[in-house]
């Protein structure tokens, strides 16, 4: 989640992005919102039920969405939840936005204030396919703020991260990774970094097992050092997620 406070072109130039060296990315939109006064997550879930009914009446079958609530984030009251929507193309994402804006549903959304709203590319960066084991009511999404080292490119980051994740999975972890590169609307808190590294675990318990295994058997060993001299990551936040579509 981050970098472009200026121009999209400057981001691409500074990071040396060569899309041909990277796998196909996912087009994503992020909405970090505060519930209206007197509203709760139950009200939001009621609204989501109506939204899903509307979605079922459309041909927007490519759109997937997750609802994330802060678990470890400081300050933890900046937002009440984060909505993450994903499609395979920008055209499909914005076709859906157009249909939603015309639907009238926005007028009843129980969270008028969204301190950040932005779009980003999600680039698969190794790990296991979590689909079969995903707890759709309680998975974990951890976001790390990262920078690219001087002289390196996003392609170098991707290659190094895939190497790291191969080692992590080989040592028994059930986790996947994506490189999140911002495009437009990035909030100020994210503008000083080049990208966000997303780590997803299929459940809270498995996330804890992943951390134990990493600290005891992986950290600082072998391919875990593949990112040294390529990229570095600092502050992180953790969310509990549910699949809503």
């Amino acid at each position: 989640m981050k970098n472009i406070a200026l121009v999209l072109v400057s981001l691409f130039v500074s990071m040396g992005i060569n899309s041909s060296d990277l796998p196909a990315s996912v087009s994503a939109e992020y909405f970090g919102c505060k519930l209206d006064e007197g509203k709760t997550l139950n009200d939001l879930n009621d609204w989501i039920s109506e939204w899903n009914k509307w979605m079922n009446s459309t041909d927007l079958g490519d759109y997937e969405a997750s609802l994330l609530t802060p678990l470890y984030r400081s300050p933890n009251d900046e937002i009440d939840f984060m909505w993450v929507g994903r499609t395979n193309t920008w055209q499909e994402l914005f076709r859906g936005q157009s249909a939603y804006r015309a639907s009238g549903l926005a007028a009843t959304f129980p969270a008028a204030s969204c301190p950040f709203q932005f779009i980003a590319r999600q680039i698969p960066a190794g790990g296991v396919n979590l689909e079969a084991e995903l707890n759709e009511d309680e998975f974990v999404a951890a976001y790390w703020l990262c920078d690219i080292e001087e002289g390196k490119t996003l392609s170098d980051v991707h290659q190094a991260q895939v190497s790291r994740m191969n080692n992590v999975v080989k040592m028994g972890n059930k986790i996947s990774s994506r490189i999140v590169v911002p495009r437009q609307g990035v909030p100020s808190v994210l503008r000083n970094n080049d990208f966000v590294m997303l780590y997803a675990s299929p459940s809270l318990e498995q996330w804890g097992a992943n951390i134990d295994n990493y600290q005891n058997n992986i950290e600082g060993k072998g391919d875990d050092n593949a990112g040294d001299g390529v990229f570095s990551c600092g502050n992180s936040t953790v969310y509990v997620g549910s699949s809503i579509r």
Side-chain angles (χ1 to χ4, degrees):
M1 304 138 101
K2 46 219 137 342
N3 194 300
I4 179 170
L6 306 176
V7 204
L8 181 61
V9 173
S10 68
L11 175 69
F12 286 171
V13 171
S14 67
M15 297 177 67
I17 293 178
N18 184 345
S19 59
S20 64
D21 295 335
L22 298 168
S25 62
V26 174
S27 303
E29 57 182 6
Y30 292 80
F31 299 92
C33 303
K34 293 278 292 182
L35 289 163
D36 294 342
E37 186 174 356
K39 298 295 184 179
T40 68
L41 287 175
N42 288 332
D43 296 301
L44 176 61
N45 288 329
D46 289 342
W47 184 90
I48 289 171
S49 294
E50 295 303 311
W51 171 79
N52 265 312
K53 291 177 184 178
W54 172 75
M55 285 290 287
N56 291 339
S57 71
T58 72
D59 62 347
L60 302 171
D62 187 38
Y63 191 89
E64 297 179 349
S66 299
L67 190 70
L68 307 181
T69 54
L71 179 61
Y72 297 116
R73 178 188 174 99
S74 299
N76 70 348
D77 58 353
E78 182 182 27
I79 60 172
D80 293 319
F81 66 88
M82 183 160 65
W83 177 296
V84 185
R86 303 170 299 277
T87 61
N88 290 324
T89 67
W90 293 112
Q91 181 177 1
E92 186 67 9
L93 185 70
F94 299 138
R95 187 172 78 91
Q97 268 290 344
S98 178
Y100 171 73
R101 289 166 65 86
S103 71
L105 281 167
T108 60
F109 190 59
S113 173
C114 294
F116 59 84
Q117 306 178 80
F118 67 98
I119 58 175
R121 298 168 61 197
Q122 293 184 354
I123 304 169
V128 300
N129 185 344
L130 300 179
E131 185 173 349
E133 298 186 52
L134 187 71
N135 182 340
E136 295 196 351
D137 295 321
E138 195 182 77
F139 62 86
V140 173
Y143 293 92
W144 290 76
L145 307 186
C146 305
D147 292 307
I148 300 176
E149 299 294 342
E150 185 175 356
K152 299 299 182 180
T153 67
L154 192 62
S155 294
D156 296 323
V157 171
H158 179 262
Q159 182 178 357
Q161 181 65 3
V162 168
S163 178
R164 292 184 68 244
M165 293 302 293
N166 285 343
N167 191 49
V168 165
V169 170
K170 182 175 64 177
M171 296 295 288
N173 281 25
K174 296 178 181 179
I175 191 169
S176 69
S177 175
R178 290 188 176 187
I179 299 168
V180 182
V181 182
R183 292 183 69 93
Q184 281 89 26
V186 184
S188 58
V189 68
L190 302 177
R191 291 176 184 169
N192 293 326
N193 300 96
D194 293 326
F195 66 95
V196 173
M197 192 70 78
L198 165 62
Y199 293 97
S201 298
S203 67
L204 271 167
E205 181 178 0
Q206 184 60 54
W207 178 53
N210 287 340
I211 295 174
D212 287 337
N213 188 44
Y214 182 80
Q215 290 179 341
N216 295 333
N217 301 305
I218 303 170
E219 190 171 19
K221 301 177 182 178
D223 285 343
D224 180 55
N225 299 323
D228 290 355
V230 179
F231 68 95
S232 59
C233 299
N235 295 329
S236 64
T237 55
V238 177
Y239 296 82
V240 175
S242 60
S243 299
I244 55 178
R245 189 164 186 85

